[in-house]
Amino acid sequence: MRLRSHTATGWAAWLLAAALAMCVVATVALAYSLMQIRDNSSWVRHTNDVLRLIAGIERAVLQAESGERGYLLTHVGEYREAYENAKAALPHAIDELATVIGDNDEQQHNLATVRSSIEMRLAQLQRVVELAQDDLQTSLAILEQARVDLLTQRIEQGLSTMTKLEQALLKERQRNFERSNFTAAAVATCLVILALASGCVGAFLIERQRTMARQQASDNRLRELQTELLHVARLGTMGEMSAALAHELNQPLAAIANYLKGSRRLLQDSSDKSAERIRNALDKAAEQALRAGEVIQRLRQFVSRGETEKSNERLDRIVDDALALALVVAKDRAVAVSLSLDPSAQHVLVDKVQIQQLLLNLIRNALEAMEHQTPRELKISSTRCDDGMIEVTVADNGPGIDPELADRLFLPFMTTKSTGMGVGLSLCRTIVTAHGGGIQAEPQPGGGTAFRFTIPGAAPS
Ligand code: ADP
């Protein structure tokens, strides 16, 4: 299924590339067609100009002829004026036409013939007009000669030949103009179709990309959920194991405590020198056995019900107990411990055993982190927050948190230790959350890590 969708995407990408390439070609073709349209239309305009100029010359010749005749017959100045005007305009009109048809040899040749005929005819007309008043006979003779010479017909024929030639050119140029119009329209249509096709394929590709991204995101979420479920399942198993373990350990621990008390009683009346020291040791051992039982009992309750038993406790005592327990393990290694507990933040509303457990975990982690460090410096401090919570900090001068772990530090089963379980910090977070507080780790300015957590403060009892 996934393979087929990849193939479709591949085809669509090729199609889009091809459509875009064709769009480029069509755009170039359209630009070329538009240039053709412009050229052809200017040719059509040019031919119309030539035709207009030829017609103008024809009109001027006619005007000169009729002016001459009118003047000859009536001697009215108006006719002569019309003749003079036409005569003056003709050379300019012929020059203008000669310039316009400069690119056409055949028309130039035709115009040269027409021009000489017009010049000859104008010379005749001039003489007729000049002689009209004094020598009518000679004027009429010249007129007769003009009829015989067929000059006017030659002019008309020449202009008519030029007109026909231009009309033929006009037809061809109009055809070219229409053809280029049609081509441009066809190319523009193709371009529109190609642009639409490109848009459709592009939209398809974008949608496909989005679908794949969505699919990817949901796959990732599914994987995350599976991992979370796995963790939850492992935590559940651990919970059950702890509950079973707590049940199993409770009786031997109670037995140990009883034996220790029995042994103490047996030593009660002993006069041995060391008896007093042994009694003390037995008292402490019994106390710790009972404490172990209590820890297990609380853990069992916590795992099975997730509840905490909160009471007003002294923070300095909890810290002292946790420190003493943790330092038993590190007794052969020198550690400089500095305590800085805010005297105004002594009372806390907590489950004592759980907070002891939490501090024990943090202190033990700090000691383990400083294993290869000299000197080892452990700092525990507390301060009151504005919201009534109390912030406790456990700081060390170890190597700091492994950057690979930083984001998932409080997730269960995250460990860098070969013998570690990776549940300590996750348990710490559970305990702090159950107390309505928060926990975080941050690097120390001079190296090492500081774990800060908040727990609810209480009024002195
Ligand atoms: P564990 O101690 O069994 O590994 P934790 O949940 O207590 O499990 O700790 C998880 C990991 O966090 C440790 O393996 C360690 O890499 C890191 N860590 C915890 N505390 C510190 C600390 N004070 N300094 C450096 N790294 C620490």
Side-chain angles (χ1 to χ4, degrees):
M1 183 71 177
R2 182 70 61 89
L3 190 72
R4 212 181 305 154
S5 101
H6 275 305
T7 319
T9 311
W11 272 108
W14 274 110
L15 220 66
L16 182 61
L20 287 175
M22 281 157 78
C23 272
V24 172
V25 174
T27 309
V28 173
L30 183 62
Y32 178 74
S33 302
L34 290 174
M35 270 153 56
Q36 291 281 95
I37 289 178
R38 194 193 58 193
D39 287 354
N40 288 332
S41 103
S42 91
W43 275 119
V44 169
R45 244 191 342 268
H46 168 85
T47 316
N48 277 326
D49 284 348
V50 173
L51 283 168
R52 186 177 47 75
L53 286 170
I54 294 172
I57 292 172
E58 255 178 342
R59 260 197 319 279
V61 170
L62 200 67
Q63 193 182 337
E65 295 257 5
S66 45
E68 172 241 32
R69 286 218 180 101
Y71 183 64
L72 203 60
L73 295 173
T74 63
H75 294 289
V76 174
E78 207 177 302
Y79 287 113
R80 182 169 180 155
E81 201 179 314
Y83 154 74
E84 292 292 349
N85 285 345
K87 190 186 116 190
L90 268 167
H92 292 296
I94 292 170
D95 284 347
E96 198 182 343
L97 181 60
T99 314
V100 176
I101 58 170
D103 58 330
N104 188 331
D105 291 344
E106 193 179 352
Q107 287 291 54
Q108 274 184 15
H109 172 75
N110 289 339
L111 183 63
T113 316
V114 171
R115 186 198 287 269
S116 74
S117 302
I118 289 175
E119 280 168 1
M120 280 160 69
R121 182 70 186 125
L122 281 179
Q124 277 182 345
L125 293 176
Q126 183 65 26
R127 285 193 60 214
V128 170
V129 170
E130 279 165 3
L131 294 172
Q133 291 224 339
D134 311 325
D135 189 355
L136 190 61
Q137 283 311 314
T138 317
S139 298
L140 289 173
I142 294 171
L143 262 182
E144 182 55 26
Q145 184 57 42
R147 208 174 54 81
V148 174
D149 287 349
L150 296 175
L151 267 180
T152 308
Q153 283 92 328
R154 283 211 321 257
I155 292 169
E156 277 170 2
Q157 257 173 14
L159 288 174
S160 153
T161 309
M162 286 184 80
T163 305
K164 279 185 189 143
L165 210 68
E166 276 315 306
Q167 277 170 342
L169 281 174
L170 181 65
K171 253 189 196 158
E172 189 190 325
R173 286 169 181 170
Q174 271 171 339
R175 259 201 310 277
N176 286 346
F177 178 64
E178 278 160 17
R179 211 175 296 143
S180 54
N181 265 350
F182 175 77
T183 313
V187 173
T189 311
C190 286
L191 192 61
V192 170
I193 291 170
L194 282 170
L196 281 175
S198 307
C200 289
V201 178
F204 167 77
L205 272 177
I206 290 169
E207 187 49 38
R208 168 76 55 169
Q209 205 68 33
R210 280 205 194 123
T211 312
M212 276 163 72
R214 274 200 297 270
Q215 179 77 36
Q216 186 75 34
S218 90
D219 283 359
N220 288 348
R221 180 76 197 117
L222 207 66
R223 258 198 302 280
E224 271 169 26
L225 276 176
Q226 278 170 347
T227 318
E228 274 169 27
L229 275 178
L230 211 67
H231 275 146
V232 170
R234 285 165 76 182
L235 269 179
T237 314
M238 265 198 57
E240 283 167 22
M241 278 165 59
S242 342
L245 209 65
H247 181 72
E248 292 299 322
L249 286 178
N250 242 350
Q251 283 186 0
L253 278 171
I256 291 170
N258 285 340
Y259 279 121
L260 288 168
K261 279 182 191 155
S263 310
R264 194 190 183 290
R265 265 199 305 277
L266 288 175
L267 280 174
Q268 192 76 42
D269 305 321
S270 168
S271 54
D272 194 295
K273 277 202 298 229
S274 328
E276 182 56 29
R277 284 170 58 204
I278 295 171
R279 273 199 301 273
N280 275 345
L282 287 174
D283 277 347
K284 284 199 172 143
E287 205 179 290
Q288 289 306 322
L290 285 174
R291 195 184 159 278
E294 208 180 323
V295 168
I296 285 168
Q297 191 57 33
R298 290 281 170 83
L299 183 66
R300 194 177 159 194
Q301 283 173 4
F302 184 64
V303 167
S304 57
R305 287 186 281 131
E307 286 172 5
T308 50
E309 263 179 35
K310 289 179 194 149
S311 54
N312 194 329
E313 303 286 347
R314 294 256 324 243
L315 182 63
D316 53 342
R317 290 195 190 140
I318 300 179
V319 172
D320 281 345
D321 285 355
L323 204 52
L325 277 172
L327 289 177
V328 170
V329 186
K331 65 172 179 265
D332 53 336
R333 299 179 218 138
V335 182
V337 181
S338 94
L339 282 182
S340 162
L341 300 177
D342 183 347
S344 73
Q346 285 292 23
H347 290 268
V348 284
L349 188 64
V350 294
D351 183 314
K352 182 178 154 198
V353 178
Q354 283 185 14
I355 299 302
Q356 266 179 1
Q357 189 66 43
L358 157 65
L359 274 164
L360 187 63
N361 280 347
L362 295 183
I363 296 170
R364 209 168 33 206
N365 275 343
L367 294 177
E368 282 172 7
M370 295 188 293
E371 200 173 6
H372 305 293
Q373 210 73 29
T374 331
R376 300 182 181 91
E377 289 166 5
L378 178 70
K379 291 181 188 154
I380 303 176
S381 57
S382 70
T383 175
R384 182 178 283 284
C385 306
D386 293 341
D387 55 359
M389 299 293 275
I390 289 173
E391 184 184 79
V392 183
T393 307
V394 178
D396 61 62
N397 65 336
I401 303 288
D402 186 333
E404 282 201 1
L405 207 70
D407 293 346
R408 299 160 293 152
L409 195 61
F410 293 97
L411 292 182
F413 311 113
M414 293 295 151
T415 182
T416 53
K417 299 171 194 166
S418 54
T419 54
M421 289 268 291
V423 292
L425 288 181
S426 114
L427 195 67
C428 288
R429 191 172 62 171
T430 312
I431 291 173
V432 171
T433 312
H435 281 80
I439 184 167
Q440 70 204 51
E442 51 193 53
Q444 288 276 78
T449 315
F451 278 88
R452 295 181 200 285
F453 65 87
T454 48
I455 43 177
S461 57

Coordinates of all heavy atoms in Angstrom, one line a residue, residues 335-394:
V335 N 33.0 13.1 52.4 CA 32.1 14.0 51.7 C 31.9 15.3 52.6 O 31.6 15.1 53.8 CB 30.7 13.4 51.5 CG1 29.8 14.3 50.7 CG2 30.8 12.0 50.7
A336 N 32.1 16.4 52.0 CA 31.8 17.7 52.7 C 30.4 18.0 52.6 O 29.9 18.4 51.5 CB 32.7 18.8 52.2
V337 N 29.6 17.9 53.7 CA 28.2 18.2 53.6 C 27.9 19.6 54.2 O 28.4 19.9 55.3 CB 27.4 17.1 54.4 CG1 25.9 17.4 54.3 CG2 27.7 15.7 53.9
S338 N 27.2 20.4 53.4 CA 26.8 21.7 54.0 C 25.3 21.8 54.0 O 24.7 21.6 53.0 CB 27.5 22.8 53.3 OG 26.7 23.3 52.3
L339 N 24.8 22.1 55.2 CA 23.3 22.2 55.4 C 23.0 23.7 55.6 O 23.6 24.4 56.3 CB 22.8 21.5 56.6 CG 22.7 19.9 56.5 CD1 22.2 19.4 57.8 CD2 21.8 19.6 55.4
S340 N 22.0 24.1 54.8 CA 21.6 25.5 55.0 C 20.1 25.6 54.9 O 19.5 25.8 53.9 CB 22.2 26.3 53.8 OG 21.6 27.5 53.7
L341 N 19.4 25.2 56.0 CA 18.0 25.1 56.0 C 17.4 26.4 56.6 O 17.8 26.9 57.7 CB 17.5 23.9 56.9 CG 18.0 22.6 56.3 CD1 17.6 21.5 57.3 CD2 17.5 22.3 54.9
D342 N 16.4 26.9 55.9 CA 15.8 28.2 56.3 C 15.0 28.0 57.6 O 14.1 27.1 57.7 CB 14.8 28.6 55.2 CG 14.2 30.0 55.5 OD1 14.2 30.4 56.6 OD2 13.6 30.5 54.5
P343 N 15.4 28.7 58.7 CA 14.7 28.4 60.0 C 13.2 28.7 59.9 O 12.4 28.2 60.7 CB 15.4 29.3 61.0 CG 16.5 30.0 60.2 CD 16.4 29.7 58.8
S344 N 12.8 29.6 59.0 CA 11.4 30.0 58.9 C 10.6 29.0 58.0 O 9.4 29.2 57.8 CB 11.3 31.4 58.3 OG 11.5 31.3 56.9
A345 N 11.3 28.0 57.6 CA 10.6 27.0 56.7 C 10.9 25.6 57.3 O 11.2 24.7 56.5 CB 11.2 27.1 55.3
Q346 N 10.7 25.5 58.6 CA 11.1 24.2 59.2 C 9.9 23.2 59.1 O 10.2 22.0 59.0 CB 11.3 24.4 60.7 CG 12.7 25.0 61.0 CD 13.8 24.1 60.7 OE1 13.7 23.2 59.9 NE2 15.0 24.3 61.3
H347 N 8.7 23.7 59.1 CA 7.5 22.8 59.2 C 6.9 22.5 57.8 O 6.7 23.4 57.0 CB 6.5 23.3 60.1 CG 6.9 23.3 61.5 ND1 6.7 22.3 62.4 CD2 7.7 24.2 62.2 CE1 7.3 22.5 63.6 NE2 7.9 23.7 63.5
V348 N 6.7 21.2 57.5 CA 6.2 20.8 56.2 C 5.0 19.8 56.5 O 5.0 19.1 57.4 CB 7.3 20.1 55.4 CG1 8.2 21.2 54.8 CG2 8.0 19.1 56.1
L349 N 4.1 19.9 55.5 CA 2.9 19.0 55.6 C 3.1 17.8 54.6 O 2.8 18.0 53.4 CB 1.6 19.7 55.3 CG 0.3 19.0 55.6 CD1 0.1 18.6 57.0 CD2 -0.9 19.8 55.0
V350 N 3.7 16.7 55.1 CA 4.2 15.7 54.2 C 4.0 14.3 54.7 O 3.8 14.1 55.9 CB 5.7 15.9 53.8 CG1 5.9 17.1 53.0 CG2 6.5 15.8 55.0
D351 N 4.2 13.3 53.8 CA 4.3 11.9 54.3 C 5.8 11.8 54.6 O 6.6 11.7 53.7 CB 3.8 11.0 53.2 CG 3.9 9.5 53.6 OD1 4.9 9.2 54.2 OD2 3.0 8.8 53.4
K352 N 6.1 11.7 55.8 CA 7.5 11.7 56.3 C 8.4 10.6 55.6 O 9.5 10.9 55.1 CB 7.6 11.5 57.8 CG 8.9 11.6 58.4 CD 8.8 11.4 59.9 CE 10.1 10.9 60.4 NZ 9.9 10.3 61.8
V353 N 7.8 9.4 55.6 CA 8.6 8.3 55.0 C 8.9 8.6 53.5 O 10.0 8.3 53.0 CB 7.9 7.0 55.2 CG1 8.7 5.8 54.7 CG2 7.7 6.7 56.7
Q354 N 7.9 9.0 52.9 CA 8.1 9.3 51.4 C 9.1 10.4 51.1 O 9.9 10.2 50.3 CB 6.7 9.6 50.8 CG 5.9 8.4 50.6 CD 4.6 8.8 49.8 OE1 4.5 9.8 49.2 NE2 3.6 7.9 49.8
I355 N 9.0 11.4 51.9 CA 10.0 12.5 51.7 C 11.4 12.1 52.1 O 12.4 12.4 51.4 CB 9.6 13.8 52.5 CG1 8.2 14.3 52.0 CG2 10.6 14.9 52.3 CD1 8.1 14.6 50.5
Q356 N 11.5 11.2 53.1 CA 12.8 10.6 53.5 C 13.3 9.8 52.3 O 14.5 10.0 51.9 CB 12.6 9.7 54.6 CG 12.9 10.3 56.0 CD 12.7 9.4 57.1 OE1 12.3 8.2 56.9 NE2 12.8 9.8 58.3
Q357 N 12.4 9.1 51.7 CA 12.8 8.2 50.6 C 13.3 9.1 49.4 O 14.3 8.8 48.8 CB 11.5 7.4 50.1 CG 11.8 6.3 49.1 CD 12.7 5.2 49.7 OE1 12.4 4.8 50.8 NE2 13.7 4.8 48.9
L358 N 12.5 10.2 49.2 CA 12.8 11.1 48.1 C 14.2 11.7 48.3 O 15.1 11.7 47.4 CB 11.8 12.2 48.0 CG 12.0 13.5 47.4 CD1 12.3 13.4 46.0 CD2 10.8 14.5 47.6
L359 N 14.5 12.2 49.5 CA 15.8 12.8 49.8 C 16.9 11.8 49.8 O 18.0 12.1 49.2 CB 15.7 13.4 51.2 CG 15.2 14.9 51.3 CD1 14.8 15.2 52.7 CD2 16.2 15.8 50.7
L360 N 16.6 10.6 50.2 CA 17.6 9.5 50.2 C 18.0 9.2 48.8 O 19.2 9.1 48.4 CB 16.9 8.3 50.8 CG 17.9 7.1 51.0 CD1 19.0 7.4 52.0 CD2 17.1 5.9 51.6
N361 N 17.0 9.2 47.8 CA 17.3 8.9 46.4 C 18.2 10.0 45.9 O 19.2 9.7 45.2 CB 16.0 8.9 45.6 CG 15.3 7.6 45.7 OD1 15.9 6.6 46.2 ND2 14.1 7.6 45.3
L362 N 17.8 11.3 46.1 CA 18.6 12.4 45.6 C 20.0 12.4 46.1 O 21.0 12.6 45.4 CB 17.9 13.7 45.9 CG 16.5 13.9 45.2 CD1 16.0 15.3 45.5 CD2 16.6 13.7 43.7
I363 N 20.1 12.2 47.5 CA 21.5 12.3 48.1 C 22.3 11.1 47.6 O 23.5 11.3 47.2 CB 21.3 12.2 49.6 CG1 20.6 13.4 50.1 CG2 22.7 12.1 50.3 CD1 20.2 13.4 51.6
R364 N 21.7 9.9 47.5 CA 22.4 8.7 47.0 C 22.9 9.0 45.6 O 24.1 8.7 45.2 CB 21.6 7.5 47.0 CG 22.4 6.3 47.3 CD 21.6 5.1 47.6 NE 20.3 5.1 46.9 CZ 19.2 4.5 47.4 NH1 19.3 3.8 48.6 NH2 18.1 4.5 46.8
N365 N 22.0 9.5 44.7 CA 22.4 9.9 43.3 C 23.6 10.9 43.3 O 24.5 10.7 42.5 CB 21.3 10.5 42.6 CG 20.4 9.4 42.0 OD1 20.8 8.2 41.9 ND2 19.2 9.8 41.6
A366 N 23.5 11.9 44.2 CA 24.6 12.9 44.3 C 25.9 12.2 44.7 O 26.9 12.5 44.0 CB 24.2 14.0 45.2
L367 N 25.8 11.4 45.7 CA 27.1 10.7 46.1 C 27.6 9.8 45.0 O 28.9 9.8 44.8 CB 26.8 9.9 47.4 CG 26.4 10.7 48.6 CD1 26.0 9.7 49.8 CD2 27.5 11.6 49.1
E368 N 26.7 9.1 44.3 CA 27.2 8.3 43.2 C 27.8 9.1 42.1 O 28.8 8.7 41.5 CB 26.1 7.4 42.7 CG 25.8 6.2 43.6 CD 24.5 5.4 43.3 OE1 23.9 5.7 42.2 OE2 24.2 4.5 44.0
A369 N 27.2 10.3 41.8 CA 27.7 11.1 40.8 C 29.1 11.7 41.1 O 29.9 11.9 40.2 CB 26.8 12.3 40.5
M370 N 29.4 11.8 42.4 CA 30.7 12.4 42.8 C 31.7 11.4 43.1 O 32.7 11.7 43.7 CB 30.4 13.3 44.1 CG 29.6 14.5 43.8 SD 29.5 15.6 45.3 CE 28.7 14.6 46.5
E371 N 31.4 10.1 42.7 CA 32.3 9.0 43.1 C 33.7 9.3 42.8 O 34.6 9.0 43.6 CB 31.8 7.7 42.3 CG 32.2 6.5 43.0 CD 31.6 5.3 42.3 OE1 30.9 5.5 41.3 OE2 31.8 4.1 42.8
H372 N 34.0 9.8 41.6 CA 35.4 10.0 41.2 C 35.8 11.5 41.4 O 36.7 11.9 40.7 CB 35.6 9.6 39.7 CG 35.1 8.2 39.5 ND1 35.8 7.1 40.0 CD2 34.1 7.7 38.8 CE1 35.1 6.0 39.6 NE2 34.1 6.3 38.9
Q373 N 35.1 12.2 42.2 CA 35.4 13.6 42.4 C 36.2 13.8 43.7 O 36.0 13.1 44.7 CB 34.0 14.3 42.5 CG 33.9 15.7 42.1 CD 34.0 15.7 40.5 OE1 33.5 14.8 39.9 NE2 34.5 16.8 40.0
T374 N 37.1 14.8 43.7 CA 37.8 15.2 44.9 C 37.9 16.7 44.9 O 38.4 17.2 43.9 CB 39.2 14.6 45.0 OG1 39.3 13.4 44.3 CG2 39.6 14.5 46.4
P375 N 37.5 17.5 45.9 CA 36.7 17.0 47.0 C 35.3 16.8 46.6 O 34.8 17.3 45.6 CB 36.9 18.2 48.0 CG 37.0 19.4 47.1 CD 37.7 18.9 45.9
R376 N 34.5 16.1 47.5 CA 33.1 15.9 47.2 C 32.3 16.9 48.0 O 32.5 16.9 49.2 CB 32.7 14.4 47.5 CG 33.4 13.4 46.8 CD 33.0 12.0 47.1 NE 33.7 11.1 46.4 CZ 34.9 10.5 46.8 NH1 35.3 10.8 48.0 NH2 35.6 9.7 46.1
E377 N 31.5 17.6 47.4 CA 30.7 18.6 48.1 C 29.2 18.5 47.9 O 28.7 18.5 46.8 CB 31.1 20.0 47.6 CG 32.5 20.4 48.1 CD 33.1 21.6 47.4 OE1 32.3 22.2 46.6 OE2 34.2 21.9 47.6
L378 N 28.5 18.2 49.0 CA 27.1 18.0 49.0 C 26.4 19.2 49.7 O 26.8 19.4 50.9 CB 26.7 16.7 49.6 CG 25.2 16.4 49.7 CD1 24.7 16.1 48.3 CD2 25.0 15.2 50.6
K379 N 25.5 19.9 49.1 CA 24.9 21.0 49.7 C 23.4 20.8 49.7 O 22.8 20.5 48.7 CB 25.1 22.3 48.9 CG 26.6 22.7 49.0 CD 26.8 24.1 48.3 CE 28.3 24.3 48.2 NZ 28.7 25.2 47.1
I380 N 22.8 20.9 50.9 CA 21.3 20.8 51.1 C 20.8 22.1 51.6 O 21.3 22.5 52.7 CB 20.9 19.6 51.9 CG1 21.5 18.3 51.4 CG2 19.4 19.4 52.0 CD1 21.3 17.0 52.2
S381 N 19.8 22.7 51.0 CA 19.3 23.9 51.5 C 17.8 24.0 51.3 O 17.2 23.2 50.6 CB 19.9 25.1 50.7 OG 19.7 24.9 49.3
S382 N 17.2 24.9 52.0 CA 15.7 25.0 51.9 C 15.4 26.5 51.9 O 16.1 27.3 52.5 CB 15.0 24.3 53.0 OG 15.2 24.9 54.2
T383 N 14.3 26.8 51.3 CA 13.8 28.2 51.4 C 12.3 28.3 51.2 O 11.7 27.4 50.5 CB 14.5 29.1 50.3 OG1 14.0 30.4 50.3 CG2 14.4 28.5 48.9
R384 N 11.7 29.3 51.7 CA 10.2 29.4 51.6 C 9.8 30.1 50.4 O 10.5 31.1 50.0 CB 9.7 30.1 52.9 CG 8.2 30.2 52.9 CD 7.7 30.9 54.2 NE 7.8 30.1 55.3 CZ 6.9 29.1 55.6 NH1 5.9 28.9 54.8 NH2 7.0 28.4 56.7
C385 N 8.8 29.6 49.6 CA 8.4 30.3 48.4 C 7.2 31.2 48.7 O 6.6 31.0 49.8 CB 7.9 29.3 47.3 SG 9.2 28.0 47.0
D386 N 6.8 32.0 47.8 CA 5.7 33.0 48.0 C 4.4 32.3 48.2 O 3.5 32.7 48.9 CB 5.6 33.9 46.8 CG 6.8 34.9 46.8 OD1 7.5 34.9 47.8 OD2 7.1 35.4 45.7
D387 N 4.2 31.1 47.5 CA 2.9 30.4 47.5 C 2.8 29.5 48.7 O 1.9 28.6 48.7 CB 2.7 29.7 46.2 CG 3.9 28.7 45.9 OD1 4.8 28.6 46.7 OD2 3.8 28.0 44.9
G388 N 3.6 29.6 49.7 CA 3.5 28.7 50.8 C 4.2 27.4 50.7 O 4.2 26.6 51.7
M389 N 4.8 27.1 49.5 CA 5.5 25.9 49.4 C 6.9 26.1 49.9 O 7.4 27.2 50.0 CB 5.6 25.5 47.9 CG 4.2 25.2 47.2 SD 3.4 23.8 47.9 CE 4.1 22.5 46.9
I390 N 7.6 25.0 50.1 CA 9.0 25.1 50.6 C 9.9 24.4 49.5 O 9.6 23.3 49.1 CB 9.2 24.5 52.0 CG1 8.5 25.4 52.9 CG2 10.6 24.3 52.3 CD1 8.4 25.0 54.3
E391 N 10.9 25.1 49.1 CA 11.8 24.5 48.1 C 13.0 24.0 48.7 O 13.7 24.7 49.5 CB 12.2 25.6 47.0 CG 13.0 25.0 45.9 CD 13.5 26.1 45.0 OE1 14.5 26.8 45.3 OE2 12.9 26.2 43.9
V392 N 13.3 22.7 48.4 CA 14.5 22.0 49.0 C 15.4 21.8 47.8 O 15.0 21.3 46.7 CB 14.1 20.7 49.7 CG1 15.3 20.1 50.3 CG2 13.0 20.9 50.7
T393 N 16.7 22.0 48.0 CA 17.7 21.8 47.0 C 18.8 20.9 47.4 O 19.3 21.0 48.6 CB 18.4 23.2 46.6 OG1 17.4 24.1 46.3 CG2 19.3 23.0 45.4
V394 N 19.1 19.9 46.6 CA 20.2 18.9 46.9 C 21.2 19.1 45.7 O 20.9 18.8 44.6 CB 19.7 17.5 46.9 CG1 20.8 16.5 47.2 CG2 18.6 17.3 48.0

